[in-house]
């Protein structure tokens, strides 16, 4: 069982803000789940990983984008910024 997970950093209110586009937020969270599964498969024992973490990355979705940081040794994906496109 993997201990990988994701979270908003520092918290959801700060990262998401007051966006009225909750469907987009759901897409972000769905994609975060997919990225966590991929990281768990790529870094089988993340806590023992000795290399560099991948750093800050971004994902483009149909209605916006988000930036995230993968911390391999912490087995966490931190979503740090969410930008929905204007409605």
């Amino acid at each position: 069982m993997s201990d990988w997970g994701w979270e908003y950093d520092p918290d959801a209110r700060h990262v998401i803000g007051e966006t009225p586009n909750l469907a987009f937020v759901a897409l972000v969270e769905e994609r975060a789940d997919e990225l966590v599964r991929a990281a768990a498969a790529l870094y089988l024992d993340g806590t023992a990983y000795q290399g560099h973490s991948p750093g800050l990355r971004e994902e483009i979705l149909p209605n916006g984008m988000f930036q995230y940081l993968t911390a391999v040794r912490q087995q966490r994906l931190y979503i740090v910024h969410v930008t929905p496109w204007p409605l």
Side-chain angles (χ1 to χ4, degrees):
M1 181 74 184
S2 173
D3 290 331
W4 275 89
W6 69 266
E7 57 191 76
Y8 292 106
D9 185 30
D11 58 44
R13 185 171 186 215
H14 178 82
V15 176
I16 297 170
E18 299 293 326
T19 181
N21 193 343
L22 297 180
F24 174 68
V25 172
L27 283 176
V28 168
E29 294 180 355
E30 181 180 315
R31 182 65 181 140
D33 288 338
E34 294 170 1
L35 291 167
V36 163
R37 286 192 298 275
L42 183 60
Y43 305 105
L44 295 176
D45 188 3
T47 58
Y49 182 69
Q50 295 297 311
H52 294 285
S53 290
L56 188 67
R57 295 189 174 187
E58 63 185 35
E59 285 286 314
I60 307 295
L61 299 172
N63 297 323
M65 63 168 282
F66 69 97
Q67 294 177 314
Y68 65 96
L69 179 65
T70 304
V72 177
R73 288 181 288 281
Q74 294 176 6
Q75 294 184 304
R76 281 288 174 270
L77 184 137
Y78 295 103
I79 298 174
V80 296
H81 189 78
V82 173
T83 306
W85 305 148
L87 295 174

